[in-house]
Amino acid sequence: MADDKSAKAYWAANIRIIMISMAVWFVCSYVLGIILRPMLKGIHVGGMDLGFWFAQQGSIYTFIVLIFVYAWRMNKLDKEFGVEE
């Protein structure tokens, strides 16, 4: 019974990490790159406006960072629940 509770807690924590990661990526790619692009026109990064930068490169960089953050958090979570490799 305790093992079942531990497994459910592990997967709940895993899903929480995934949902936070997806929310961050959504904000960076969709909200900043599409919805708020007109408001970000005045801010320039590398010769282009910030909204365009998020749409073209920022969301990709964010995704790459999220991969490493997810791996780091999952390793930490695995150690916490005793299921590390």
Side-chain angles (χ1 to χ4, degrees), residues 41-63:
K41 272 188 174 181
I43 304 168
H44 294 284
V45 174
M48 61 190 84
D49 67 83
L50 187 60
F52 181 79
W53 185 84
F54 267 111
Q56 297 302 313
Q57 284 105 5
S59 60
I60 295 168
Y61 292 149
T62 302
F63 181 66

Side-chain angles (χ1 to χ4, degrees), residues 4-60:
D4 188 41
K5 283 185 179 181
S6 179
K8 285 182 181 181
Y10 174 81
W11 284 108
N14 184 9
I15 295 298
R16 186 176 61 246
I17 293 169
I18 290 171
M19 295 307 289
I20 290 169
S21 299
M22 294 297 287
V24 168
W25 194 26
F26 174 79
V27 167
C28 287
S29 63
Y30 188 73
V31 174
L32 293 175
I34 297 172
I35 294 177
L36 296 180
R37 182 168 182 232
M39 294 180 1
L40 298 173
K41 272 188 174 181
I43 304 168
H44 294 284
V45 174
M48 61 190 84
D49 67 83
L50 187 60
F52 181 79
W53 185 84
F54 267 111
Q56 297 302 313
Q57 284 105 5
S59 60
I60 295 168

